[in-house]
Amino acid sequence: MTDELTALGVIWTEQYFFITVVFMFLIHVGFTMYEVGTSRRKNLGHTLAKNLMLIPMITFGFFFFGWWAYWAFAEVPFGPFADAPWSLPWSYLMGPNMGGGGDADGEFWGHLNGVFFMAFVLFAWTTGSICSGALIERIRLGAWLVLITIFGGFIWLVGAAMGWAPNGWMVQLMGYHDAYAAGLVHAVSGGFALGVLIVLGPRIGKFGPNGEVRDIPPHNKWMVCTGILIIMTGFFGFMAACHVPFIALGTEENPFYGAVTIYGTPVTLSNMTMNYIMAMSSGMMAMYFCSKGDPFWVMSGCIGGVVSCASGMDAYHPLQCVGLAFAGCLFAYHMHHYVQKRFKIDDAVGAVAMHGYAGIFSVIAAGFVLWGYPAAAPTGDINPGWFGNNADGFAIINPLGQVIGAFIFFVVFGILPGYIGAKILQSFGVLRVPREVELAGQDTHFLGDGYPYFEITEGEFEAIEREYAKEQ
Amino acid sequence: MSTGITSYADLSQIAAFSPGAGGMDGGGAEWIMAIVVFVWVIWFMVWQFKQEDKELKEAVRLYKEVGMERAMATAKGRIATDEEMKAIEVQRAMGSRAGH
């Protein structure tokens, strides 16, 4: 990097993404607390193990396949596999490299490959964490690890390549727009979880003999709620990582520098932050209203509100976010209860609702609210758009493109692989723990009581209290 | 064995396992390392399935031995002790007398 502006842009981008990655780690901390808190005391060790082990498995899956898939599949099947040598596991650009020697790829990717890679790894962990909660208390750890390595480390990235890159065919041909990944992270993960749940079945006793739905309360509501607050803190990093922070948008005669979405459309951190908080607040109020103040659902409304707006949050006014978050949460909450009752789907944490249904809502809503906005600049390879272009030849955001996009992510990259993967594991008898183990608790034979000292402490204090009671 | 690099003068050549051998597409020890790590991950999966299967079978055998009622009694991730079983029985008896 020989000129100062290029150096500033590249090095600032490197620092920026590093910070987003650190923030995004909190998403995983939060999900772990949320799911362990939701599980019953007899299962919390296994729930924790499930969350911990998705970290290395997805990371390795991503390292070998996912990073390459994100770059290679953008135009497939309407164009060839793209060449992306920096994403291959054996590339020297995976290691420390500062560019130089006139190697243009080295100058750019030498600084940015690692932080881009890590941002996507953290997105990938998020897809795993979203699925994880829905399946707790009955899935085998081995089955879970296989499913999530393939999904989190590869499958969702094929979809992301097509719908979350400026040259993706869904973007260029359909005008698909999903700036903060409501469809291609949230809906796809909710769909995958639903596909697995259909095969996995509900926890023993969740549904009564007459089909009545029984509540299985979390073992620690404080942990659940704090976990979601930590997720929301981490999501600031997620949202920021959906931006490219510094790029030249203008011409040589009229220079203009700013941040862009992953599609290359202009955006500001300022507007995103305001929209994020407004959507979150609206989602919480919607869920307080729906659930009559149940803290579990109120906190889920944080996520549901943001996801409901995420597709178009780069271009919404905050008041649009308020309305969409409210409507999206109502839709997700009622869909959750309808599907649960009608199809006996036991989604333990409401993940399919808050990520899947709210994600679908978000993608489709953006098609109407942002109808006519450019989806991305044309790349020259596979445009113009099927469903309309603007005067400059940019594919426009439109309802049909968004509806088809929501279907592709929720069903094609979500439910189908989840269902097929779970069916294969079930056919080998390795999907679900034996009935006896589920009834006794997944921790009973191996990890043991997650709170071995609680009873003794409580018992001693109760003995003291009883002494006081005798005195009166 | 020396890498052959003796300075940081050529910044683009710092990272490779075999500097200069394969460029962007690799070509040196990178391939071998990638294969080794990939095999390790696959082996780990197979090992996990095997040891989990063994563990679950042992658990089912244990629960049949002690009885499911006892295995489930505490609902806290451990099998109930004799004292706990007695206490639970007393509690249940009191509960049934109270009409619960």
Side-chain angles (χ1 to χ4, degrees):
Chain A
M1 289 178 289
T2 49
D3 72 273
E4 286 181 9
L5 193 60
T6 306
L8 183 67
V10 171
I11 293 171
W12 160 238
T13 304
E14 182 187 6
Q15 314 301 318
Y16 175 91
F17 276 102
F18 171 77
I19 292 165
T20 66
V21 166
V22 176
F23 262 100
M24 278 198 280
F25 208 103
L26 289 174
I27 296 175
H28 203 69
V29 175
F31 268 116
T32 303
M33 288 180 71
Y34 174 50
E35 289 164 28
V36 171
T38 303
S39 67
R40 285 166 288 176
R41 184 165 167 175
K42 60 184 178 178
N43 295 315
L44 63 87
H46 262 74
T47 304
L48 180 60
K50 199 157 62 59
N51 258 286
L52 296 179
M53 287 310 294
L54 77 81
I55 291 177
M57 301 317 288
I58 289 182
T59 302
F60 282 124
F62 185 85
F63 179 75
F64 283 112
F65 303 107
W67 192 221
W68 171 79
Y70 174 70
W71 296 100
F73 278 87
E75 296 180 4
V76 176
F78 300 97
F81 283 100
D83 192 25
W86 57 85
S87 64
L88 297 170
W90 44 84
S91 167
Y92 75 79
L93 286 172
M94 284 287 190
N97 191 290
M98 281 159 269
D103 178 355
D105 275 337
E107 285 184 356
F108 184 79
W109 288 108
H111 276 272
L112 299 180
N113 199 29
V115 286
F116 283 172
F117 175 95
M118 276 314 299
F120 271 83
V121 166
L122 270 294
F123 293 145
W125 292 3
T126 304
T127 64
S129 293
I130 290 168
C131 298
S132 169
L135 315 170
I136 56 171
E137 303 196 312
R138 72 273 208 204
I139 195 167
R140 285 195 193 199
L141 187 58
W144 161 250
L145 294 180
V146 168
L147 287 169
I148 211 59
T149 304
I150 296 169
F151 175 70
F154 179 67
I155 291 173
W156 82 272
L157 286 142
V158 175
M162 298 167 177
W164 209 29
N167 61 331
W169 70 263
M170 289 174 67
V171 181
Q172 291 296 330
L173 295 179
M174 290 172 21
Y176 182 77
H177 188 83
D178 193 5
Y180 299 101
L184 51 91
V185 165
H186 295 281
V188 75
S189 306
F192 188 83
L194 182 58
V196 178
L197 281 171
I198 292 167
V199 183
L200 183 66
R203 290 167 289 179
I204 295 170
K206 174 67 183 175
F207 299 100
N210 301 315
E212 66 271 26
V213 181
R214 293 180 179 137
D215 187 32
I216 303 178
H219 97 273
N220 189 330
K221 277 193 180 183
W222 284 102
M223 193 185 267
V224 171
C225 294
T226 310
I228 297 185
L229 284 174
I230 294 173
I231 292 171
M232 297 312 291
T233 310
F235 260 113
F236 274 110
F238 185 107
M239 306 295 274
C242 297
H243 295 183
V244 178
F246 185 83
I247 208 159
L249 291 166
T251 59
E252 206 167 310
E253 296 78 36
N254 297 301
F256 178 77
Y257 300 95
V260 291
T261 64
I262 208 158
Y263 303 112
T265 53
V267 72
T268 62
L269 271 180
S270 179
N271 179 245
M272 178 277 284
T273 308
M274 193 194 291
N275 280 349
Y276 180 86
I277 292 297
M278 294 295 269
M280 187 183 94
S281 303
S282 180
M284 291 175 81
M285 287 185 74
M287 294 308 252
Y288 190 96
F289 170 71
C290 284
S291 69
K292 300 183 175 61
D294 181 343
F296 178 88
W297 283 109
V298 174
M299 295 311 294
S300 295
C302 291
I303 296 175
V306 171
V307 172
S308 297
C309 306
S311 283
M313 204 183 263
D314 56 320
Y316 289 155
H317 187 278
L319 289 171
Q320 286 175 311
C321 285
V322 170
L324 289 170
F326 201 93
C329 282
L330 291 187
F331 172 71
Y333 180 83
H334 289 294
M335 274 293 287
H336 170 81
H337 287 93
Y338 170 76
V339 171
Q340 179 175 258
K341 200 170 167 55
R342 175 74 179 78
F343 300 104
K344 305 286 178 287
I345 297 293
D346 177 14
D347 171 8
V349 296
V352 179
M354 291 300 118
H355 300 275
Y357 306 142
I360 293 171
F361 175 90
S362 182
V363 171
I364 295 173
F368 288 95
V369 182
L370 301 182
W371 198 342
Y373 277 62
T379 56
D381 296 331
I382 51 167
N383 45 283
W386 290 334
F387 310 125
N389 295 283
N390 71 2
D392 298 318
F394 293 22
I396 57 165
I397 301 169
N398 64 90
L400 187 55
Q402 295 294 106
V403 168
I404 297 171
F407 177 83
I408 288 173
F409 284 116
F410 190 68
V411 178
V412 178
F413 287 109
I415 292 177
L416 280 179
Y419 181 83
I420 293 167
K423 269 285 181 195
I424 292 170
L425 289 164
Q426 190 187 45
S427 71
F428 285 102
V430 294
L431 180 65
R432 188 167 176 147
V433 296
R435 184 180 168 79
E436 292 86 349
V437 172
E438 188 178 338
L439 287 169
Q442 286 181 293
D443 294 352
T444 304
H445 63 286
F446 177 45
L447 293 170
D449 188 352
Y451 299 110
Y453 305 111
F454 267 25
E455 280 170 309
I456 297 165
T457 311
E458 288 167 358
E460 280 174 358
F461 191 74
E462 279 165 6
I464 294 167
E465 283 180 313
R466 278 193 290 276
E467 290 303 314
Y468 277 99
K470 279 180 197 169
E471 288 171 13
Q472 288 173 352
Chain B
M1 193 168 69
S2 170
T3 59
I5 290 181
T6 54
S7 81
Y8 291 105
D10 185 354
L11 295 175
S12 68
Q13 289 292 341
I14 289 170
F17 278 113
S18 309
M24 189 82 88
D25 295 327
E30 299 92 332
W31 278 91
I32 300 166
M33 286 304 292
I35 291 166
V36 168
V37 177
F38 183 74
V39 170
W40 151 239
V41 174
I42 299 294
W43 181 87
F44 176 85
M45 293 266 198
V46 174
W47 172 83
Q48 167 61 25
F49 269 110
K50 277 177 138 175
Q51 69 92 22
E52 187 176 28
D53 205 51
K54 191 174 155 206
E55 181 191 297
L56 291 171
K57 278 180 183 152
E58 278 174 15
V60 172
R61 185 187 54 74
L62 174 67
Y63 299 154
K64 282 185 177 159
E65 203 174 292
V66 302
M68 277 312 293
E69 190 171 342
R70 188 177 187 134
M72 295 171 60
T74 68
K76 287 168 185 163
R78 58 182 173 75
I79 295 170
T81 60
D82 287 341
E83 288 74 30
E84 282 171 328
M85 285 306 287
K86 279 180 201 160
I88 288 164
E89 277 165 27
V90 169
Q91 253 179 355
R92 282 184 188 155
M94 287 171 70
S96 64
R97 276 202 297 277
H100 294 302

